[in-house]
Amino acid sequence: MLIHVHPENPQPRAIRTIIDTLREGGIIIYPTDTIYGIGCDIFQPKAIERICRIKQVVPEKAQLSFICYDLSDLSQYTKSISTPLYRLLKSHLPGPYTFILPASKEVPKILKSRKDTIGLRVPDNMIARTIVRELGHPILSASLPGEMVEEYTDPEMMQANFGKLVNLVVDGGIGGWTPSTIVDCTKEPPELIRQGAGEWDTEIGSK
């Protein structure tokens, strides 16, 4: 099902439909501030396993991350971090970044990497953040399995290509085609893993 959502003022009825789908263990394709992602409720293990099957990876290697509403989720899902690191995150979020952080015991085991870390995202996108806020906890974020740019950017093409694999495609307009910038904050200084849409000064972490 394709559902149209206003990118700046998401309609409450549409958001409720999305939330109901997630709570029932459904999978959605949704917009972020970079490329569209495929996701589910982080507390629905069967949905997470479905996403991993779609991507043909095991959960430990799937590079799954969380979409959070803001940094208030940090204390629950990550181990305590230093004040300088918190300031670093705060200065870049919301934005097109994925920060790798040490996972807390609250993170479902299926989502932790072998290094006991998680990727954390706070996208500068009202649809994604509204979904998370109304759900009451983060949603999973993974990249789409497509190969062409259009499969990442055009919701109608996503519906045509992936509609049978997911429960809902959230149409928030044409998406971007550059993924998020990934920074590993378990290293000192933080290490750039992938240069994406977010600018990153490699000197930042060493100051």
Side-chain angles (χ1 to χ4, degrees):
M1 186 166 100
L2 186 69
I3 184 168
H4 298 271
V5 182
H6 194 283
E8 292 172 13
N9 296 294
Q11 308 92 312
R13 181 180 290 180
I15 295 297
R16 275 197 301 274
T17 299
I18 297 165
I19 298 303
D20 288 346
T21 300
L22 291 169
R23 286 184 175 147
E24 290 166 5
I27 293 175
I28 65 171
I29 291 174
Y30 60 97
T32 71
D33 54 354
T34 56
I35 57 177
Y36 270 72
I38 182 171
C40 65
D41 184 328
I42 62 168
F43 296 114
Q44 294 284 347
K46 288 183 179 177
I48 295 169
E49 288 169 359
R50 270 180 66 196
I51 287 175
C52 290
R53 282 199 298 274
I54 290 169
K55 290 178 64 66
Q56 297 182 329
V57 290
V58 294
E60 299 84 34
K61 295 182 179 179
Q63 291 188 311
L64 306 170
S65 54
F66 283 18
I67 296 281
C68 299
Y69 179 72
D70 58 22
L71 288 178
S72 64
D73 287 320
L74 265 183
S75 59
Q76 187 168 359
Y77 299 107
T78 68
K79 291 177 182 173
S80 60
I81 61 172
S82 67
T83 301
L85 178 52
Y86 180 82
R87 287 190 189 128
L88 177 69
L89 299 180
K90 194 172 182 181
S91 67
H92 286 79
L93 299 173
Y97 300 88
T98 299
F99 290 107
I100 297 172
L101 297 161
S104 75
K105 291 179 181 177
E106 298 294 317
V107 176
K109 282 185 180 179
I110 193 172
L111 288 175
K112 290 182 186 179
S113 71
R114 286 176 180 166
K115 294 180 180 177
D116 214 22
T117 59
I118 60 160
L120 187 122
R121 284 268 280 128
V122 182
D124 189 11
N125 179 280
M126 274 306 297
I127 295 174
R129 293 182 72 207
T130 301
I131 291 170
V132 170
R133 186 186 67 205
E134 295 304 311
L135 183 64
H137 54 257
I139 57 173
L140 180 72
S141 176
S143 58
L144 289 165
E147 295 179 358
M148 298 182 296
V149 170
E150 292 81 0
E151 291 183 295
Y152 289 109
T153 58
D154 186 343
E156 292 191 1
M157 185 169 280
M158 293 175 211
Q159 170 65 24
N161 292 345
F162 308 123
K164 290 180 181 177
L165 299 174
V166 303
N167 300 84
L168 207 59
V169 176
V170 181
D171 181 356
I174 297 297
W177 55 275
T178 305
S180 65
T181 292
I182 301 177
V183 180
D184 186 349
C185 293
T186 64
K187 306 272 180 73
E188 185 59 48
E191 181 182 338
L192 178 68
I193 303 297
R194 178 181 74 193
Q195 180 64 60
E199 292 185 10
W200 185 257
D201 181 354
T202 52
E203 295 297 312
I204 289 175
S206 56
K207 288 180 181 175

